[in-house]
Amino acid sequence: MRGKKEEGEEVVDDGWPWLVHKGIWVSFLCIALFALLVRVAVSVHPYSGAGNPPKYGDFEAQRHWMEITTNLPIKEWYANTTLNDLSYWGLDYPPLTAYQSYVHGLLLRFFHPESVAIFTSRGQESYLGKLLMRWTVLSSDALIFFPAVWYFVVGYYASCRSGSKSEVAWHIALILVNPCLILIDHGHFQYNCISLGLTVGAIASVLSNKDLVASVLYCLALSHKQMSAYFAPAFFSYLFGKCLRRRSPLFEVVKLGLVVLGTFVVVWWPYLHSRDALIGVLSRLAPFERGIYEDYVANFWCTTSVLVKWKRLFTTQSLKLLSLSATITTFLPSMVQQIKAPSKQGFLYGLLNSAFSFYLFSFQVHEKSILLPLLPATLLAVEEPFLLKWMTLYALFSIFPLLYRDKLVLPYFTLSALFLLLYYAPSRRQAATETKPLKSYARMFFLLCALILHVVYLTVEAPHRYPFLFEALIMLLSFSQFVILVIHSNVQQWRLKPATLVDKQKKLI
Amino acid sequence: MSGTFSVQTMQVQNSSCWSLWWLFATAACVKLLLIPSYHSTDFEVHRHWLALTHSLPLSQWYFDETSPWTLDYPPFFAYFERFLSVFANFIDPQIVQLLKGLNYSSDTVVYFQRITVILSDLSLLYGIYRLTRNLDSRRQKLIWVLVIWSPMLVIVDHLHFQYNGFLLVAAPVYFVYLLRHYCWRGLLRGFGRLLIMGAVVAAVFVAAYGPFVYQGQIKQVISRMFPFGRGLCHAYWAPNLWVLYIILDKGLAFFLQNIGFNIQAPAASFTGGLVGDSSPFSVLPQITPLTTFIMVLLALSPCLIKAWKDPRPGMITRWVAYAYMCGFLFGWHVHEKASLHFVIPLAIVAAESLDDARHYFILSIVSCYSLFPLLFEAQEYPIKVLLLLLHSILMWLGFSAQFTDAVAVNATTRLKKKRKNNMGSKASPSAASHNGGFDIGWVGKSYLVGLVIVEVWGQLLQPLILGDKLPFVPLMLISIYCALGVLYSWIWQLRRILCSVAVDS
């Protein structure tokens, strides 16, 4: 945790190397324990919709899915029946989420049957039930996300770059103690650690040249949360670009295609027996009727709606087309770069850029989806430390209203502080700070705005005419920063040195 | 040349200051996150003391009986509560209302009290900084991590709720004072020194107890502070000698009964009951407060004699820790939380030699584990386990770095910088770390494995095998097993103090 960064480049030895001297896996273990401790500590705080009938919040949704999956046959999970009222938190994630709910539901049923009893368990908030739910997230995190990160670190430092041990430790700490992910999963209550963990696993496999494993893992991520599709352009372009450079491109593409198809068939098997069943599930996953945006999310549609009333001017159908074409246009450059010159470094940037395009321009984005672009940013921490810092701060800021509603203000500020502490871990700080004065003034200005908005949001009541004035301002500020960051990272991807590309291509052949 | 040097020293100092604050801040973050978790009745005790010292005149502090949680800490702590109550009153007046505040548990009071504990750790930070500022950088960092990140402190102060971080500072400041003024054999030798020392001690006592002596209440204050009316052991048995004594008594009684003697079951319990009541022991002689007092004195005497004959400043920390430990092992009505008071000071000398480190490694794990029953609710279970694991792995890392040839480590890191080799290959960790490194030996290892077995039995096997029968067994096992570890540590320290001639300069 704490010190294990540092050392390495500086002349000044301030006495921290002892934390990394045993080799990187001990440091990883140490950081992982600390990261778990932080997660457990966050989980003692309230979750979304705690004590707030009749619909409660995401916690109740997840619990309800456990109730449905453990009590009903698999064919009825996505169907509206007398026992499964889809208007009360009907399942709206792909089958792997349902299976996960089933397994966790079995656990809950073993230790505390009342918390997953059909109908009677609605709004269950008993001490043991809550605790068991929290522990299912913790264990998912520890069993999926953490090993995936370890796999990534090994692959990354074997193929992409070298780093001193303290730098590696610093990198691990920033990936594992990602404040947004912790707040959403262990505070608000979701299982993003599973789909993101599977994605990290897929990325790590790509980095260690196990493309088939990567495809399987990525398909699993996609079957856990459809939002993982944000990364699809990057995976597709890198793997496709790589296949093109092989001796028999067609064979390679077909091989990957079959693996993808096979994985999907296995995961989706129970719903493949009829067209209706499949359509039934798919329509649950894409709730177009909910409009192009909800609440206040810092993306293009929501921000510009202050000026252009999208929802009034266009039909849902044309908005779908509009958002689709905007998304494609924005991730296309990064895709083209990867197909032209696939590289591992470029792949990581590609993940960031495509996820950002989806977050900013696609249909029906939720503010929690900022986790997806944030993930590749943490993976790029050593390359782009400033990007990571800036993005994490504004990503946190963009979910602040949500966390405020969940009564998670204390963990919000604490984790922000903890993130900055880790970022500026002893003797790491000199390395991360030299910029031109003008730029830094602009940064200071934006940071100051964010700080003032925090205070205002917490203390001042919004004017009656504009009850969501502050949410809109927060969204505006975050959006502006995200746009700057996405432009920056696209430029960075195109600027990658061709030397490294050649180097990587040699390795491929 | 000298310019470069001074810049470098400044850098070192800055970065070392930053490290200290960084450790504190990171710890504070975790402690802040833990605010809503379980707190014991001590929380209400301290809240009541805030109210009591705020709303009553000093003359009634030690007489008030509005709540069962009467004031039973020494006067300085009462002054401290009085000081805090000023802010409490400012934040939420209900906190300090004697009657309306009873069992008050709104968010304001929880946040206020929790944050005061976190802030009062600043005094510990200062104490530890003063004590370690002349040590070499690596040892300094190690000690900081051991103390500032002490899992016991988090469990007792920030979860269970107490102000030990604040109390502990008294000891370091005292050492520093002694070091500064008395250890350089200067002009003020002999009588003069004694006089000043006596005066300081007297002044401290006058400041603390003066107001109560003036009011003629000293007897009441003393009787509150030393509750000999309570039992030999606390409700949950602290892992000390008396646990073993009680078990021996039970065992003997059982044995004698089986071979035909008529043994009467004792009427009194160990934890309650007034002095003079019937003995709680069936076979062995009864223990009175006087017995425990004599035992403590006896245990202390070798250390006192040694200190008298051969006063060395380097040993003060050790002696003080040893004294606390004697009190813990042989004292009357000892609370398990008291182990903090010798584990934390010992952290300062833990890195002095390999033996010290081995001893500290085991002692601090055992003491931390013995605090587990304090947090008995399921929600805090992963927290305490993670805290202990993290602490153990940090200790292991720190000690093994300390006792691996320092030169070898430096050399390899520098070599690596040049080579820029990646971490993927496992060959990089210095070969030196494998020979002559930190190792606690097979006895230590098997003792720690036993600890794990005790925990698994209590948490998992006992409920599975015995169900609801014998619910006291897990706690008893923890007490007995930890008592063995603490007893070993006491013997080890005694030996270390007696044969300490060769070790330090």
Side-chain angles (χ1 to χ4, degrees):
Chain A
M1 101 240 38
R2 71 295 350 275
K4 57 211 61 329
K5 31 256 74 174
E6 171 329 283
E7 194 256 315
E9 46 276 271
E10 269 83 345
V11 194
V12 187
D13 168 28
D14 61 359
W16 285 111
W18 57 270
L19 282 166
V20 291
H21 77 110
K22 274 285 177 187
I24 209 65
W25 77 268
V26 182
S27 310
F28 182 87
L29 190 66
C30 199
I31 298 167
L33 284 174
F34 177 70
L36 271 179
L37 180 65
V38 172
R39 282 160 165 81
V40 183
V42 170
S43 76
V44 302
H45 290 262
Y47 45 81
S48 78
N52 185 17
K55 281 211 76 171
Y56 303 91
D58 275 3
F59 175 85
E60 170 64 8
Q62 298 283 354
R63 196 210 52 72
H64 179 64
W65 297 341
M66 295 180 196
E67 169 198 333
I68 292 298
T69 49
T70 46
N71 288 293
L72 298 182
I74 194 163
K75 299 240 158 60
E76 288 178 29
W77 289 355
Y78 290 89
N80 207 5
T81 62
T82 46
L83 288 176
N84 186 11
D85 174 14
L86 286 184
S87 65
Y88 184 82
W89 298 118
L91 250 172
D92 52 7
Y93 283 119
L96 199 58
T97 294
Y99 305 150
Q100 165 241 316
S101 298
Y102 177 69
V103 172
H104 287 154
L106 289 183
L107 270 172
L108 250 72
R109 192 156 70 179
F110 181 77
F111 290 105
H112 191 235
E114 300 91 82
S115 63
V116 287
I118 190 101
F119 279 128
T120 56
S121 65
R122 286 197 184 179
Q124 251 280 340
E125 291 189 301
S126 64
Y127 180 83
L128 189 59
K130 281 192 288 191
L131 203 58
L132 287 170
M133 289 283 284
R134 288 292 201 193
W135 286 357
T136 59
V137 190
L138 274 174
S139 56
S140 311
D141 220 339
L143 295 177
I144 297 176
F145 190 72
F146 283 54
V149 170
W150 169 244
Y151 186 28
F152 167 81
V153 169
V154 171
Y156 182 70
Y157 285 94
S159 69
C160 286
R161 62 179 290 132
S162 58
S164 67
K165 278 191 212 164
S166 41
E167 198 175 43
V168 180
W170 182 77
H171 194 178
I172 297 172
L174 287 185
I175 302 175
L176 290 184
V177 188
N178 173 348
C180 294
L181 180 60
I182 297 178
L183 284 168
I184 296 291
D185 274 12
H186 301 272
H188 178 86
F189 204 91
Q190 283 199 338
Y191 291 88
N192 294 296
C193 52
I194 298 181
S195 59
L196 292 183
L198 290 169
T199 310
V200 174
I203 297 168
S205 319
V206 165
L207 296 184
S208 11
N209 295 320
K210 298 196 176 73
D211 296 347
L212 295 178
V213 180
S215 312
V216 173
L217 286 175
Y218 180 63
C219 291
L220 289 179
L222 210 52
S223 309
H224 188 264
K225 285 206 164 187
Q226 62 270 39
M227 271 79 97
S228 308
Y230 288 18
F231 298 120
F235 275 99
F236 174 77
S237 58
Y238 174 79
L239 292 177
F240 185 64
K242 204 171 147 185
C243 286
L244 291 183
R245 276 156 192 76
R246 291 284 174 82
R247 216 160 288 145
S248 49
L250 194 65
F251 172 69
E252 296 292 330
V253 172
V254 168
K255 210 164 72 179
L256 282 177
L258 282 179
V259 166
V260 169
L261 208 65
T263 316
F264 273 117
V265 167
V266 170
V267 176
W268 289 69
W269 185 252
Y271 305 99
L272 293 179
H273 61 280
S274 80
R275 217 181 115 86
D276 285 351
L278 187 62
I279 299 280
V281 178
L282 288 178
S283 66
R284 294 290 311 155
L285 305 187
F288 287 115
E289 70 285 353
R290 281 159 77 176
I292 189 160
Y293 58 83
E294 270 182 300
D295 295 342
Y296 283 84
V297 49
N299 76 353
F300 176 78
W301 306 111
C302 193
T303 310
T304 49
S305 71
V306 177
L307 301 170
V308 187
K309 298 292 166 206
W310 300 105
K311 280 182 180 174
R312 235 181 291 154
L313 288 172
F314 299 91
T315 61
T316 305
Q317 199 55 38
S318 46
L319 276 180
K320 270 195 242 176
L321 268 176
L322 204 61
S323 62
L324 183 68
S325 43
T327 314
I328 293 179
T329 329
T330 44
F331 71 60
L332 212 54
S334 115
M335 251 183 107
V336 171
Q337 194 272 344
Q338 277 303 285
I339 295 176
K340 269 177 65 185
S343 72
K344 288 172 182 171
Q345 205 68 46
F347 169 61
L348 292 177
Y349 278 103
L351 288 167
L352 175 59
N353 291 329
S354 68
F356 241 145
S357 304
F358 273 93
Y359 175 80
L360 292 176
F361 294 103
S362 71
F363 199 86
Q364 244 286 317
V365 173
H366 203 281
E367 61 261 61
K368 280 166 274 185
S369 301
I370 192 62
L371 288 177
L372 290 128
L374 192 57
L375 178 78
T378 59
L379 302 182
L380 280 166
V382 182
E383 238 100 297
E384 298 277 352
F386 177 74
L387 179 131
L388 173 67
K389 180 178 84 174
W390 211 241
M391 188 162 163
T392 307
L393 289 181
Y394 283 94
L396 272 167
F397 192 35
S398 74
I399 55 171
F400 180 57
L402 175 88
L403 297 173
Y404 178 77
R405 281 199 299 278
D406 294 344
K407 301 188 183 68
L408 291 169
V409 176
L410 174 74
Y412 171 86
F413 284 111
T414 316
L415 280 185
S416 312
L418 193 60
F419 167 75
L420 286 175
L421 282 168
L422 288 175
Y423 185 83
Y424 290 107
S427 115
R428 173 74 207 177
R429 63 218 162 105
Q430 294 100 328
T433 53
E434 329 87 38
T435 41
K436 289 171 194 141
L438 183 69
K439 261 191 178 171
S440 74
Y441 283 136
R443 280 173 198 165
M444 287 303 285
F445 171 73
F446 285 124
L447 218 51
L448 203 66
C449 286
L451 276 178
I452 292 170
L453 264 176
H454 274 118
V455 176
V456 168
Y457 192 87
L458 287 175
T459 53
V460 181
E461 206 177 319
H464 282 295
R465 272 193 65 196
Y466 307 104
F468 296 107
L469 176 69
F470 300 139
E471 278 88 348
L473 286 174
I474 289 175
M475 165 190 84
L476 200 65
L477 187 59
S478 306
F479 175 70
S480 64
Q481 302 306 307
F482 291 156
V483 169
I484 296 172
L485 290 174
V486 76
I487 293 173
H488 167 83
S489 69
N490 267 294
V491 171
Q492 287 296 102
Q493 187 183 343
W494 275 91
R495 265 201 193 156
L496 283 178
K497 279 186 219 126
T500 54
L501 299 182
V502 175
D503 188 36
K504 293 288 123 72
Q505 276 160 26
K506 255 186 231 155
K507 269 189 190 169
L508 295 184
I509 302 162
Chain B
M1 205 48 193
S2 70
T4 331
F5 176 73
S6 72
V7 166
Q8 241 187 41
T9 0
M10 237 167 65
Q11 259 182 322
V12 170
Q13 229 157 39
N14 272 344
S15 84
S16 124
C17 243
W18 168 241
S19 296
L20 187 67
W21 280 109
W22 189 84
L23 280 173
F24 175 76
T26 333
C29 281
V30 175
K31 293 166 186 171
L32 279 171
L33 283 176
L34 291 174
I35 284 181
S37 51
Y38 161 85
H39 53 73
S40 69
T41 46
D42 276 8
F43 183 83
E44 167 63 12
V45 172
H46 285 87
R47 195 221 45 80
H48 179 64
W49 291 353
L50 282 176
L52 186 155
T53 51
H54 190 264
S55 18
L56 294 177
L58 185 133
S59 58
Q60 292 175 34
W61 286 0
Y62 283 91
F63 283 94
D64 176 76
E65 280 176 359
T66 324
S67 142
W69 315 120
T70 53
L71 184 58
D72 57 7
Y73 271 28
F76 268 147
F77 195 80
Y79 301 156
F80 175 62
E81 291 278 11
R82 178 71 185 83
F83 168 74
L84 289 181
S85 70
V86 176
F87 302 97
N89 185 34
F90 181 70
I91 283 162
D92 179 359
Q94 203 186 334
I95 299 175
V96 290
Q97 279 173 0
L98 199 57
L99 289 171
K100 264 177 80 185
L102 282 180
N103 294 314
Y104 184 49
S105 59
S106 74
D107 276 355
T108 41
V109 65
V110 174
Y111 276 65
F112 174 76
Q113 293 223 80
R114 291 282 204 196
I115 289 173
T116 54
V117 182
I118 295 173
L119 289 180
S120 69
D121 276 352
L122 278 172
S123 56
L124 183 70
L125 192 73
Y126 173 74
I128 207 71
Y129 170 70
R130 285 298 299 266
L131 271 176
T132 55
R133 62 181 172 171
N134 293 324
L135 296 177
D136 70 274
S137 167
R138 186 150 30 131
R139 229 169 86 187
Q140 201 180 33
K141 304 281 155 43
L142 177 57
I143 293 171
W144 291 351
V145 169
L146 292 184
V147 174
I148 298 173
W149 273 87
S150 163
M152 299 174 74
L153 211 56
V154 177
I155 290 176
V156 176
D157 277 16
H158 302 276
L159 287 164
H160 179 88
F161 200 83
Q162 281 199 340
Y163 286 94
N164 291 297
F166 171 74
L167 298 177
L168 277 166
V169 75
V173 166
Y174 178 64
F175 303 149
V176 172
Y177 183 78
L178 283 178
L179 273 170
R180 283 291 294 277
H181 296 271
Y182 296 100
C183 300
W184 282 277
R185 319 209 157 206
L187 301 167
L188 279 171
R189 289 189 78 170
F191 191 65
R193 239 196 302 175
L194 199 69
L195 209 66
I196 293 175
M197 190 113 145
V200 169
V201 172
V204 169
F205 271 88
V206 166
Y209 295 92
F212 300 96
V213 174
Y214 177 76
Q215 311 241 6
Q217 302 176 340
I218 196 67
K219 244 179 114 176
Q220 171 73 8
V221 174
I222 303 272
S223 75
R224 279 278 176 88
M225 277 165 52
F226 298 100
F228 286 118
R230 301 186 196 167
L232 173 62
C233 291
H234 189 262
Y236 159 69
W237 305 348
N240 62 9
L241 184 77
W242 305 123
V243 169
L244 300 178
Y245 189 80
I246 291 167
I247 294 304
L248 185 67
D249 179 69
K250 293 270 178 214
L252 277 178
F254 183 74
F255 176 71
L256 292 177
Q257 233 162 9
N258 270 7
I259 58 170
F261 284 91
N262 182 21
I263 306 287
Q264 281 196 333
S269 87
F270 310 108
T271 50
L274 291 167
V275 191
D277 282 4
S278 59
S279 163
F281 299 102
S282 345
V283 186
L284 295 174
Q286 193 187 354
I287 303 294
T288 63
L290 187 66
T291 331
T292 62
F293 183 68
I294 293 170
M295 292 274 295
V296 173
L297 269 190
L298 274 178
L300 263 178
S301 54
C303 167
L304 292 178
I305 293 167
K306 183 84 182 170
W308 179 259
K309 274 169 50 186
D310 181 20
R312 269 178 303 149
M315 296 295 283
I316 289 178
T317 320
R318 236 176 258 284
W319 290 335
V320 170
Y322 177 78
Y324 267 121
M325 198 162 202
C326 292
F328 180 82
L329 262 182
F330 305 106
W332 182 262
H333 197 81
V334 171
H335 203 289
E336 68 278 9
K337 285 167 280 191
S339 52
L340 254 182
H341 293 264
F342 55 80
V343 177
I344 299 259
L346 277 176
I348 294 156
V349 290
E352 262 178 22
S353 76
L354 187 55
D355 277 343
D356 276 310
R358 279 185 193 137
H359 162 251
Y360 184 78
F361 186 81
I362 292 176
L363 174 68
S364 90
I365 291 180
V366 172
S367 313
C368 181
Y369 179 67
S370 75
L371 296 177
F372 270 25
L374 277 181
L375 308 174
F376 51 86
E377 290 195 13
Q379 183 179 259
E380 283 72 26
Y381 190 77
I383 298 176
K384 60 187 184 185
V385 173
L386 284 170
L387 278 171
L388 179 57
L389 286 178
L390 192 59
H391 180 64
S392 317
I393 196 169
L394 280 173
M395 272 197 298
W396 180 65
L397 276 175
F399 289 142
S400 45
Q402 187 72 32
F403 300 107
T404 309
D405 188 6
V407 188
V409 168
N410 283 340
T412 40
T413 41
R414 222 164 282 146
L415 206 67
K416 239 176 294 147
K417 256 179 276 166
K418 275 184 203 155
R419 250 194 285 151
K420 277 198 178 169
N421 63 353
N422 56 33
M423 54 62 63
S425 62
K426 291 275 160 67
S428 38
S430 61
S433 62
H434 297 297
N435 44 50
F438 176 72
D439 183 10
I440 51 168
W442 68 270
V443 180
K445 274 180 200 153
S446 31
Y447 181 75
L448 292 184
V449 170
L451 216 57
V452 177
I453 295 173
V454 167
E455 180 62 12
V456 172
W457 170 262
Q459 291 297 326
L460 200 71
L461 299 180
Q462 159 125 3
L464 276 181
I465 298 169
L466 295 178
D468 294 335
K469 275 182 281 174
L470 307 174
F472 58 90
V473 168
L475 285 187
M476 203 178 74
L477 274 180
I478 295 179
S479 286
I480 297 169
Y481 200 74
C482 293
L484 291 175
V486 175
L487 203 64
Y488 154 79
S489 156
W490 175 74
I491 295 167
W492 186 90
Q493 282 190 63
L494 183 61
R495 232 187 47 204
R496 178 79 171 79
I497 286 172
L498 291 182
C499 0
S500 61
V501 191
V503 180
D504 44 6
S505 49

